[in-house]
Amino acid sequence: MAEAQALVLGETPVLGAESVPAAQALGRVLVEAVASPRAIPPADNSAMDGYAVRAADLAGASQESPVRLPVVFEVAAGGDASRTLDPGQVARIFTGAPIPPGADSVVRQEDTERDGGQVRLQVAPPLGEHVRRAGEDVRAGEEVLEPGMLVGPAHLGMAAALSRTQLAVRRRPRVAILSGGDELVEPDGDTHGGKIVASNSYSLAAQCRGVGAEPFYLGIARDDPADIERRIRAGLGADVLISSAGVSVGEHDHIRAVLEKLGCAIRFWGVLMKPGYPMVFGRFENGPLVFGLPGNPVSAMVTFEQFGRPALLKMQGRTRLFRPTLRVRCGERLSKRPGRLHFVRVELERDGDGFVARATGNQSSGVLRSMTRAHGLLIFPAEAEELAEGEQACVQLLDDQVLTEESSRL
Ligand code: AMP
Ligand code: MG
């Protein structure tokens, strides 16, 4: 398992860059450094509504013995800051307004009492009180955004503050998705005669989108090498090709042979895991990475989780490629034969300081409901035969909302 994952990541390239409108950079990895063309804030300014003062004028001022001074002008945010304050004078000032020359501190409105053209100031502010310094956020020329940063809302706010409307980020992988099997129809197709809806195309496309990749659909191939070949050819321009089904050893399983015929170098076939054993991984020279996933709906999703997801993240320059894991206690006894690593779909329930995991019902690889209810995949190690009730285990978190406590609410 670990070996197969390392092999996949070893073959996975990091994609090139593209310049996009800044808003589209959300969730993507920056490939350029962005330095500031100016200081932010551009000038010393007031953090409060109140009065710009010279601190020295207010030495000893208090509620009991306020200092009374004339208010000689007013300066608002965006206002003119050229007028100088002389000793013994104050200026009315508002939040964000530039500190006038001569002033060095601000007394907040709450500590004053206005009296016509004068104001009673009831505190002796320390020098620089309530003054936001020019450049205290960013100095002119300073490098603020760095290559490798994952762009989030704060980065986009900062990019805007730096007057950037375009950002260079890693390209999103394009992923061609193929379903295959004579029994398959689309969700709006005719299911008479026991046809099966090709649900994998939809869960896999969503899993791709969930990590920022751009899926496109190659449709359902019949169990016919010529049809499979034609559809795979249509996906050769993608960065990644993901097929599901047709990778077992049955007479109707043609995917591997078609891939080889088209020149795909198969790197491995079969992984000691459950669900998902019959998985193919390969690579076209100057073409897509290929994940030939098993057809069973849970197998397709779980193999995507273990191999496709980290590869798609790596392509986009991401460095955290894996789901967070959580140590939990087993809420029930689990058993299996040794040999393959099992991914048990589990629901998690808070229990004291920790979490208890219980399987989400029938764990057959065809039972997609086991995924719809799963908060995570419990790792049941390859050689283990039993996990006793109460025993510790590790869960890959699919849904980290489960960590939210009721007490997290404000
Ligand atoms: P196969 O790998 O072709 O033997 O398929 C294994 C199982 O997965 C069969 O029961 C298929 O009907 C089912 N299956 C294959 N492809 C899909 C798909 N795209 N969506 C849902 N089930 C599928
Ligand atoms: Mg089939």
Side-chain angles (χ1 to χ4, degrees):
M1 229 338 280
E3 214 179 309
Q5 201 173 51
L7 201 152
V8 167
L9 291 173
E11 293 276 352
T12 302
V14 176
L15 300 180
E18 63 180 346
S19 174
V20 297
Q24 286 174 29
L26 184 64
R28 300 172 71 175
V29 173
L30 203 62
V31 297
E32 62 172 337
V34 183
S36 183
R38 68 185 86 85
I40 304 174
D44 290 358
N45 68 93
S46 179
M48 292 283 170
D49 292 330
Y51 293 87
V53 303
R54 293 172 182 256
D57 290 341
L58 299 184
S62 69
Q63 194 141 24
E64 297 72 43
S65 57
V67 172
R68 199 182 167 94
L69 292 174
V71 182
V72 293
F73 60 92
E74 182 176 303
V75 50
D80 175 28
S82 57
R83 217 175 134 181
T84 299
L85 206 63
D86 289 330
Q89 298 180 332
V90 304
R92 178 78 171 119
I93 197 164
F94 299 95
T95 304
I99 303 290
D104 54 34
S105 310
V106 170
V107 174
R108 29 175 226 151
Q109 191 168 314
E110 292 86 333
D111 296 325
T112 66
E113 213 175 301
R114 187 69 182 250
D115 182 6
Q118 301 208 315
V119 64
R120 278 189 287 277
L121 301 135
Q122 299 159 337
V123 292
L127 192 66
E129 179 82 331
H130 300 316
V131 175
R132 300 192 289 218
R133 292 286 167 210
E136 78 174 18
D137 188 351
V138 178
R139 293 187 306 279
E142 194 178 355
E143 204 171 277
V144 186
L145 302 178
E146 294 160 22
M149 278 182 164
L150 181 61
V151 177
H155 305 84
L156 288 181
M158 184 52 84
L162 303 177
S163 301
R164 290 295 298 260
T165 55
Q166 293 275 128
L167 288 170
V169 293
R170 291 256 166 247
R171 202 161 63 68
R172 295 183 187 280
R174 295 187 69 235
V175 185
I177 292 183
L178 177 69
S179 271
D182 286 342
E183 75 281 28
L184 300 179
V185 294
E186 293 297 345
D188 58 356
D190 181 358
T191 53
H192 277 100
K195 295 281 193 195
I196 303 287
V197 172
S199 59
N200 290 350
S201 309
Y202 298 85
S203 40
L204 290 168
Q207 285 178 298
C208 288
R209 270 192 217 99
V211 289
E214 289 173 348
F216 66 99
Y217 191 30
L218 301 175
I220 299 169
R222 300 293 125 212
D223 282 325
D224 161 31
D227 191 25
I228 295 171
E229 179 176 332
R230 187 173 63 82
R231 290 177 190 273
I232 287 181
R233 281 185 186 281
L236 291 181
D239 299 299
V240 175
L241 176 77
I242 297 180
S243 72
S244 65
V247 287
S248 298
V249 292
E251 283 90 67
H252 301 287
D253 295 332
H254 306 294
I255 293 280
R256 183 181 172 172
V258 172
L259 287 171
E260 283 179 323
K261 181 187 167 198
L262 290 174
C264 175
I266 304 292
R267 295 286 192 254
F268 63 76
W269 182 45
V271 185
L272 291 175
M273 63 185 277
K274 188 176 177 182
Y277 173 79
M279 181 196 143
V280 173
F281 172 69
R283 186 174 184 179
F284 283 95
E285 207 174 315
N286 304 317
L289 288 185
V290 178
F291 296 89
L293 307 182
N296 277 307
V298 181
S299 306
M301 288 193 76
V302 171
T303 46
F304 177 92
E305 270 293 324
Q306 307 311 317
F307 300 103
R309 184 179 187 278
L312 291 175
L313 289 171
K314 182 181 171 190
M315 286 181 150
Q316 296 171 83
R318 299 276 290 265
T319 47
R320 293 203 169 96
L321 305 182
F322 305 108
R323 295 278 193 187
T325 55
L326 187 67
R327 293 217 63 87
V328 303
R329 283 186 301 104
C330 289
E332 62 197 345
R333 177 180 174 271
L334 297 170
S335 68
K336 69 170 177 66
R337 281 203 295 268
R340 291 196 208 170
L341 190 162
H342 282 210
F343 292 97
V344 185
R345 281 76 75 199
V346 291
E347 275 176 295
L348 299 174
E349 197 188 336
R350 196 174 278 280
D351 177 45
D353 284 344
F355 284 89
V356 172
R358 289 188 189 82
T360 57
N362 185 342
Q363 294 289 299
S364 161
S365 56
V367 174
L368 190 53
R369 274 191 83 173
S370 67
M371 282 299 282
T372 63
R373 290 172 41 204
H375 296 131
L377 300 173
L378 182 143
I379 296 168
F380 195 165
E383 294 317 316
E385 289 182 60
E386 185 189 296
L387 286 172
E389 184 178 341
E391 200 172 331
Q392 288 248 322
C394 186
V395 169
Q396 295 177 348
L397 276 182
L398 300 175
D399 172 10
D400 55 18
Q401 277 297 101
V402 74
L403 300 179
T404 308
E405 289 188 66
E406 193 53 23
S407 61
S408 304
R409 277 174 49 176
L410 294 177

